Amino acid sequence: MNSTPFQNYLHSFSLKKAFWFTFAIDLIFIVLVVLAFMAFNNYAKAKTTSIAGTADPEQFQQQLATMTPEQLLSFGEGIKSFLTVFAVGLLVLIVFTWLGYSLAAAWNWNYLTGRKFQLRTAYWRWNALQLIILLLTVGYVAIALLIKLLFSLLFSLAIENANLLQFLNQLVSLLLLLLFFIFLFLIYHSFVQKYRVWESLAGGFKLFFSQARAIGIAYLFMMGTALALSLIYWLIYLLLSRQYLFPEKTTLWIQLVLSLLFLAWLRLYLLQTVPAVSKERAA
């Protein structure tokens, strides 16, 4: 007996091993990247203070005005050396983030589809896929910004309430973001079948349009879940903030963890919602 879309939605909250595994992989990746950038940021600040001799901009300007030509030359060499190290370090961090994201995605999707992950061969194809997706993402962001601007203008003409206007603009942003992740996850699912970049892109879009009705219904449930999660978070935050003072970093980490939990659920819900995918997973 086939389950209804609502039954399928409720069943998606029976969070099992696959949910926690993919969430853990994403969380480990994010934590490592954040720690790496924090360490690099601390190094850059300490090095800048060491070169300048002070962290006070006004005091630094005074020191600079009294430097001899020899001191200025030495200072310039120090700045040049620091900028070189900074550029190389930043490049290393970007490459680390890129490779780490590809590894996390490859690991998750091979696990979800029951395939053995071949690190030496398949992993580098994931990196190639991410490059193409990055280019497509740039195009999607440009289109999304235009759509958002259009709706923002329409809303501003029809609505005077600032809070309602802000809510509607954020709603449009959320709709566009969810649509992006749906396309992304369908492409990833298609890619893990054959490891062919261009076929996977076509397969992801084909799957989206061939299963438009099922995805459209799921899209509404995804949107409702995202709004409910946001509401619950803000209610808890407002209640607790009356008694406790939350540092900004703590708030950001809480939002990050909730976002990763939502994406882990979204990934699995999409896979069990699309008939062509769910049948394949059951086979």
Side-chain angles (χ1 to χ4, degrees):
M1 182 178 178
N2 294 329
S3 58
T4 65
F6 184 67
Q7 289 174 329
N8 192 34
Y9 171 68
L10 293 179
H11 179 69
S12 69
F13 292 102
S14 57
L15 309 177
K16 298 179 181 179
K17 183 180 178 181
F19 171 84
W20 296 111
F21 179 87
T22 53
F23 167 72
I25 293 297
D26 289 341
L27 182 61
I28 291 172
F29 161 70
I30 291 294
V31 169
L32 289 176
V33 170
V34 170
L35 291 177
F37 272 93
M38 287 176 62
F40 183 70
N41 181 58
N42 291 335
Y43 162 79
K45 287 182 178 179
K47 193 66 177 176
T48 302
T49 303
S50 175
I51 293 173
T54 177
D56 185 0
E58 293 184 3
Q59 189 176 354
F60 170 67
Q61 289 179 357
Q62 292 175 1
Q63 290 179 356
L64 195 63
T66 58
M67 283 183 181
T68 64
E70 292 77 12
Q71 290 174 326
L72 285 172
L73 181 61
S74 176
F75 176 75
E77 290 296 329
I79 289 291
K80 181 179 179 181
S81 175
F82 167 71
L83 290 177
T84 302
V85 173
F86 182 85
V88 172
L90 185 60
L91 179 61
V92 169
L93 281 177
I94 293 173
V95 172
F96 168 74
T97 303
W98 182 283
L99 296 178
Y101 175 76
S102 292
L103 180 61
W107 205 342
N108 277 337
W109 285 93
N110 277 276
Y111 178 82
L112 290 175
T113 54
R115 288 170 169 76
K116 186 177 180 181
F117 179 38
Q118 301 292 338
L119 181 61
R120 294 184 177 180
T121 55
Y123 171 59
W124 298 107
R125 296 186 181 183
W126 275 94
N127 288 294
L129 175 68
Q130 304 303 350
L131 178 60
I132 302 301
I133 288 178
L134 177 62
L135 298 176
L136 292 176
T137 300
V138 172
Y140 182 86
V141 169
I143 295 173
L145 288 175
L146 290 175
I147 294 174
K148 194 179 173 187
L149 177 62
L150 176 61
F151 275 97
S152 180
L153 291 173
L154 292 175
F155 292 151
S156 62
L157 292 174
I159 300 171
E160 295 183 359
N161 187 290
N163 292 327
L164 179 59
L165 190 62
Q166 182 182 9
F167 170 77
L168 291 175
N169 285 326
Q170 291 178 345
L171 184 64
V172 172
S173 298
L174 183 58
L175 286 168
L176 293 169
L177 186 61
L178 281 176
L179 187 61
F180 170 79
F181 279 112
I182 289 174
F183 275 115
L184 181 67
F185 289 160
L186 290 177
I187 290 172
Y188 282 164
H189 176 269
S190 179
F191 179 73
V192 82
Q193 313 299 322
K194 299 180 179 179
Y195 283 100
R196 295 176 181 174
V197 175
W198 298 110
E199 288 186 20
S200 302
L201 294 174
F205 282 96
K206 182 179 179 181
L207 191 59
F208 176 86
F209 289 108
S210 65
Q211 305 295 331
R213 182 178 181 278
I215 293 175
I217 296 173
Y219 188 49
L220 297 177
F221 286 123
M222 294 172 189
M223 190 67 194
T225 303
L227 290 174
L229 188 61
S230 299
L231 180 61
I232 292 171
Y233 164 75
W234 283 113
L235 287 175
I236 294 175
Y237 176 78
L238 289 175
L239 290 173
L240 293 179
S241 62
R242 294 178 180 178
Q243 299 178 351
Y244 306 99
L245 180 62
F246 284 95
E248 185 178 355
K249 289 184 179 180
T250 301
T251 304
L252 290 175
W253 275 107
I254 293 173
Q255 292 175 348
L256 178 62
V257 170
L258 288 176
S259 298
L260 292 179
L261 287 169
F262 176 74
L263 287 177
W265 168 81
L266 179 66
R267 188 188 290 119
L268 289 168
Y269 177 50
L270 182 64
L271 290 182
Q272 75 179 39
T273 296
V274 180
V277 174
S278 56
K279 288 178 182 178
E280 178 185 288
R281 294 179 72 217

